[in-house]
Amino acid sequence: MSREKKHTEAGDGAAADTDSQGADVTAEAVASAAAAIDSDELQKLRQEADEARDRSLRAQAELDNFRRRTQREVDEFRKYQSIPIIRDMLPGLDNLKRAVGAAEQSGDLQNLLDGIHMVSQQFEDVLKAHSAIPIRPQGQPFDPNLHEALTQVPSAEHPPMTVLDVVETGYKLHDRVIRPAKVIVACAPPPTNDAASTDAD
């Protein structure tokens, strides 16, 4: 083999080695760059996950605080919800005590009776102010949703199951019955002797 050919072959081998080394360096650089990108992306994803977890924990804490605050407000409302009606009823109680005291000193029962009537009307006004209205069924047909029948009385003047008298006033709050009216209702009178004689004939 000639010296020139050997030199050419040696040159080609060196070039091939150089190309191989260059390819290896390029592959390592690409792999390193990819690893760096993957690392940056992974770090970014971890940061986003941490931020999302923090937001979730804060939202959960705010929800828990809201629930506790709402429960406290509900408990507070239930505890003191009677204050307005109690406050409105106190003047009536004061007037009743004054009427009793005045009657005890003067011995005048008529003044006591007048005072009791006044207080009774005052209590009615308080109930009305709080949307509690009396059930007044006298002369009306008996309604088991509104009335409680205590007894039946024979009556020829009224149809059966007509409310004849109210023993205890009932009350409604809007459309809900607080207490049904206790009533006496009519029933058909027993047959008379004349009717019995006619039937016998």
Side-chain angles (χ1 to χ4, degrees), residues 42-58:
L42 182 60
Q43 183 65 27
K44 183 179 178 182
L45 292 174
R46 285 176 177 170
Q47 183 177 355
E48 290 177 355
D50 290 340
E51 291 174 355
R53 185 170 60 253
D54 289 343
R55 286 195 299 271
S56 176
L57 291 174
R58 283 196 298 271

Side-chain angles (χ1 to χ4, degrees), residues 40-153:
D40 290 344
E41 186 67 23
L42 182 60
Q43 183 65 27
K44 183 179 178 182
L45 292 174
R46 285 176 177 170
Q47 183 177 355
E48 290 177 355
D50 290 340
E51 291 174 355
R53 185 170 60 253
D54 289 343
R55 286 195 299 271
S56 176
L57 291 174
R58 283 196 298 271
Q60 184 64 42
E62 290 175 1
L63 180 60
D64 291 341
N65 289 336
F66 173 75
R67 286 174 177 166
R68 284 194 292 269
R69 185 170 62 251
T70 302
Q71 187 61 47
R72 282 197 303 269
E73 290 173 356
V74 169
D75 292 342
E76 195 83 357
F77 173 77
R78 288 176 178 169
K79 186 176 180 180
Y80 297 110
Q81 64 180 339
S82 300
I83 285 179
I85 191 168
I86 292 172
R87 185 182 290 124
D88 290 345
M89 291 180 72
L90 288 176
L93 182 60
D94 293 338
N95 288 335
L96 183 59
K97 289 181 178 179
R98 291 190 191 100
V100 171
E104 287 176 343
Q105 290 181 0
S106 65
D108 188 345
L109 295 180
Q110 185 58 47
N111 283 341
L112 176 61
L113 186 61
D114 293 341
I116 291 174
H117 280 305
M118 180 186 70
V119 172
S120 175
Q121 184 58 52
Q122 193 169 3
F123 281 140
E124 290 278 355
D125 293 341
V126 168
L127 292 173
K128 185 177 180 181
H130 289 272
S131 302
I133 58 174
I135 299 171
R136 304 189 187 277
Q138 192 158 349
Q140 302 296 319
F142 176 79
D143 183 347
N145 296 313
L146 301 174
H147 316 140
E148 179 183 340
L150 298 180
T151 186
Q152 290 184 317
V153 174

Side-chain angles (χ1 to χ4, degrees), residues 136-142 147 158-159 161-166 184:
R136 304 189 187 277
Q138 192 158 349
Q140 302 296 319
F142 176 79
H147 316 140
H158 300 89
M161 301 306 294
T162 299
V163 176
L164 299 179
D165 196 12
V166 178
I184 297 172

